[in-house]
Amino acid sequence: MELRYEHLYIGGEWVRPSSGRVIAPVNPSTEEVLGSAPEGLEADIDAAVEAARRTFDQPGGWAAWEPERRAEVMERFAEQLEARAGRIAETVSSQNGLPISIARQLEAGYPTAVLRYYAGLARTTAFSETRAGLLGGSVEVRRTPVGVVAAIVPWNYPQVLSMFKIAPAMAAGCTVVLKPSPEASLDSFLVAEAAEAAGVPAGVLNIVPGGREAGGRLVSHPGVDKVAFTGSTAAGRSIAETCGRLLRPATLELGGKSAGIVLDDAVLDPAQIGQDLVAATLTNNGQTCFLSTRILAPRSRYAEVADLITELARSLPVGDALAQDTLIGPMVTAQQRERVEGYIAKGRAEGARLTTGGGRPAGLDKGWFVEPTVFADVDNNFTIAQEEIFGPVLCVLPYDDVDDAVRIANDSDYGLGGTVWTSDPERGAAVARRVQTGTIGVNRYLPDPVAPFGGAKASGLGSELGPEGLASYLRPQSIYR
Ligand code: NAD
C-alpha cells in the first residue's frame, strides 16, 4: 500500500503546496518507502496561520460559539477518527516502528478518549463567572481562548501527541496549525480527513507536515498566539528562546531519563509484574519520553532485579512492527539506530556490565533493529544513566536505602516520569512523592487524561491533559462593572 498525498489541509480545503518538495517516509522495519506527502515550507505555514487567524478572528465564529456546540463537533471528530482507527494504527506503526498491538491502543484508541474527555470539559468548565468586587460593583472574570495555536509534534506518538494539543485547544475555542514531523507525516492526513468528514469548521484545524524550517517559521509567525511543542530538549530550548523574546506562551514537553525504583518488598514475579514493567521501561522500543530507563534496585536484591530485567528484555519478540506478536520494533531511522549503538558502545567503555543484547538481532537483514539491551553495575554518573538514549537500552543501578534511591532518582537533568515497584502501594506513593518529576506511577505507568502530564527541569514547561491542559489554552479577562 503506497500512500500518496499531494495537497495540504488548510482553511478546510485541500490546497496545492507552495513547492514541489515532498517528504517520503520510510518503513523502518523494511527500509521501503511508504509513500509521499508535500513538505510544507514557510509559504505553506504562512497560509495555514492566516487561515487559522481568519477563523479565530471571525466575529461570532468558532471562538465565540457556545462550548456545547464545539463539544458536539469534537465528538463527531472522535467518531470519524474511530472509523479510521485501523488505518491510523497501521500507518503509524509502519512509519515509526511502534508495534501494531500498542499502536492500536495508544495511537488509535487513546486520542479519541482524549478528544471526548475535552468535549466533556468544554461542557462543564465555567468560562465566565461574576465576583462581588471588594471596591464596590462586580467583576466578570472570563476565560477566553488564547488564539491561534502552533502545535509541533515528534514522530514517536504522532497521533496522541497531536491530540494532547488539538483537543484542549478546540475545547477552549482556539484554532490550530499542526506541524507533524517528516518521519511520521502520512498519518496526519487521516486526521485531516476525519476533521473534514466531521464538519470541523474551516480553519479550526490546519495541518502542514514539514521539517525544522517550517517548525521555526510556525513558532515565530506573528499570527501565532501560543506554541505547544513536544520533542527534544534541544529544540525545546531554542523554541523557548524565541517565545521568550516574543512574550509568547509556550507549553514544552521534552525529553526524559526517568527512574524505576524497585523497593525491597517488591514482588519480582514476571507473571505478576512483567507486562507492566516492560510497558513502563521499553514501550515503543524505548522511543518514549517517560520510560523508567534507570532501574534502581536495593543492594540486598540487586542480582535478583538485574536477572529479572535481563530475562524480560531477552524474552521480548523483536520484529516487523506490523506483526501481531512483535513487542520490540525497529528504531525510527538508521541515524537513530546509530545513536543508540553509540550509547551502547559508550556504556561498555564506561565499564557497565552488559547482561543481554548490545547488538543487532540475528535473522533480521532489513530494518533498523537493536536488541533489547540491559546494562548492570551502572553508576549514575555514566553517560548511559544521564542522557536520553531513546532506544531499548536499560540500566540497572544499586542503591543503599530509600533515601539513596530517591537521591539517585533526582540526580538527573530531567524530571518527566518514573515508577515505584512495591507490594505496599501506600509506601510506594510515599516514595513517589519525594521524586521530583511531573508524573510517576506506582506498580505501573499510564498517563491518565484526567491528570496533568508534564515535566520538571529539562523535561519541559507547563502541562498537557487534565483541566490544567485546558487552562493553558485560556487567557483570563477581567471586566470591572
Ligand atoms: P525533535 O525535537 O527533533 O523534533 C520534534 C518536532 O519539532 C518535529 O516536528 C521537528 O520537525 C520539530 N522541530 C525540531 N526543531 C525545531 C525547531 N528548532 N523549531 C521548531 N520546530 C522544530 O524531536 P524528535 O527527535 O522528533 O522526538 C524525540 C524527542 O521528543 C525525545 O527527546 C523525546 O523525549 C521527546 N518527547 C517528549 C515527550 C513529552 O511529552 N515530554 C513525548 C514524546 C517525545
Side-chain angles (χ1 to χ4, degrees):
M1 168 189 61
E2 262 221 358
L3 300 166
R4 289 207 172 276
Y5 296 98
E6 290 177 353
H7 295 91
L8 295 167
Y9 186 65
I10 295 176
E13 289 176 6
W14 292 94
V15 303
R16 206 164 263 295
S18 67
S19 83
R21 292 246 302 253
V22 293
I23 300 166
V26 173
N27 183 333
S29 300
T30 62
E31 301 181 32
E32 282 163 13
V33 173
L34 278 163
S36 68
E39 179 182 349
L41 303 180
E42 291 197 357
D44 305 296
I45 292 289
D46 290 356
V49 174
E50 277 155 29
R53 186 83 258 161
R54 260 197 315 278
T55 299
F56 184 78
D57 290 338
Q58 196 187 352
W62 172 255
W65 278 18
E66 285 299 319
E68 167 66 34
R69 211 172 146 200
R70 288 199 297 268
E72 283 166 12
V73 170
M74 292 168 72
E75 277 160 358
R76 289 203 306 271
F77 189 12
E79 282 163 23
Q80 290 297 332
L81 285 169
E82 258 161 14
R84 291 161 178 77
R87 281 163 67 204
I88 287 175
E90 267 185 37
T91 310
V92 170
S93 277
S94 53
Q95 290 173 114
N96 69 1
L98 175 65
I100 185 74
S101 58
I102 304 171
R104 283 198 193 102
Q105 296 167 39
L106 295 186
E107 284 285 285
Y110 195 161
T112 56
V114 171
L115 202 41
R116 290 203 170 96
Y117 168 70
Y118 277 108
L121 272 194
R123 291 196 169 97
T124 55
T125 298
F127 287 96
S128 162
E129 65 174 283
T130 301
R131 298 181 192 167
L134 262 186
L135 308 175
S138 63
V139 185
E140 181 187 343
V141 179
R142 302 175 65 224
R143 303 175 78 201
T144 66
V146 76
V148 173
V149 174
I152 300 179
V153 293
W155 45 263
N156 63 339
Y157 294 95
Q159 291 281 318
V160 83
L161 296 173
S162 298
M163 202 49 78
F164 279 16
K165 298 159 182 61
I166 295 169
M170 286 179 78
C174 296
T175 58
V176 178
V177 176
L178 172 70
K179 191 207 75 65
S181 74
E183 295 85 356
S185 44
L186 298 174
D187 59 293
S188 70
F189 290 83
L190 296 168
V191 177
E193 284 172 18
E196 187 182 35
V200 172
V204 168
L205 176 61
N206 310 273
I207 304 183
V208 182
R212 275 176 195 206
E213 301 75 28
R217 175 65 183 165
L218 185 53
V219 167
S220 61
H221 196 292
V224 164
D225 298 298
K226 178 199 159 78
V227 175
F229 172 78
T230 301
S232 61
T233 295
R237 282 190 207 282
S238 145
I239 289 169
E241 279 175 20
T242 305
C243 289
R245 186 164 40 80
L246 297 171
L247 297 179
R248 183 165 290 174
T251 306
L252 304 170
E253 298 286 359
L254 311 176
K257 188 75 191 182
S258 304
I261 304 176
V262 181
L263 295 182
D264 55 8
D265 64 357
V267 181
L268 297 180
D269 174 3
Q272 271 197 49
I273 64 163
Q275 211 178 339
D276 288 327
L277 199 51
V278 168
T281 56
L282 285 165
T283 298
N284 198 4
N285 331 323
Q287 302 176 129
T288 306
C289 53
F290 56 65
L291 295 177
S292 298
T293 49
R294 291 182 295 147
I295 295 159
L296 313 188
R299 282 195 196 279
S300 59
R301 301 186 73 187
Y302 184 76
E304 233 183 307
V305 173
D307 286 350
L308 172 75
I309 302 295
T310 302
E311 283 316 311
L312 282 175
R314 205 176 272 155
S315 71
L316 300 172
V318 182
D320 190 317
L322 287 178
Q324 296 304 327
D325 60 346
T326 290
L327 286 177
I328 298 287
M331 302 296 90
V332 67
T333 55
Q335 190 192 6
Q336 181 64 16
R337 176 167 69 175
E338 255 171 51
R339 229 183 125 238
V340 173
E341 288 177 338
Y343 276 114
I344 293 173
K346 203 164 261 178
R348 284 184 155 130
E350 283 177 318
R353 178 166 57 91
L354 189 71
T355 64
T356 187
R360 297 180 180 182
L364 291 168
D365 305 335
K366 286 271 181 211
W368 301 308
F369 296 94
V370 174
E371 284 179 317
T373 298
V374 178
F375 281 109
D377 302 344
V378 175
D379 186 285
N380 200 48
N381 292 323
F382 289 1
T383 310
I384 54 168
Q386 285 294 327
E387 295 186 11
E388 184 182 53
I389 298 175
F390 235 53
V393 181
L394 300 178
C395 301
V396 190
L397 295 81
Y399 69 80
D400 297 328
D401 54 21
V402 170
D403 286 350
D404 193 37
V406 170
R407 180 192 62 76
I408 298 170
N410 290 336
D411 179 13
S412 170
D413 289 342
Y414 295 107
L416 186 57
T419 43
V420 184
W421 303 86
T422 172
S423 54
D424 177 352
E426 282 311 315
R427 186 176 171 223
V431 173
R433 288 184 197 109
R434 299 177 60 192
V435 178
Q436 294 155 359
T437 58
T439 63
I440 184 161
V442 177
N443 292 330
R444 68 168 197 169
Y445 184 96
L446 194 58
D448 195 301
V450 305
F453 175 81
K457 302 189 266 184
S459 292
L461 282 179
S463 313
E464 300 192 303
L465 297 182
E468 294 82 359
L470 176 60
S472 76
Y473 292 90
L474 294 167
R475 174 184 290 141
Q477 184 193 34
S478 299
I479 305 180
Y480 311 116
R481 301 167 43 147

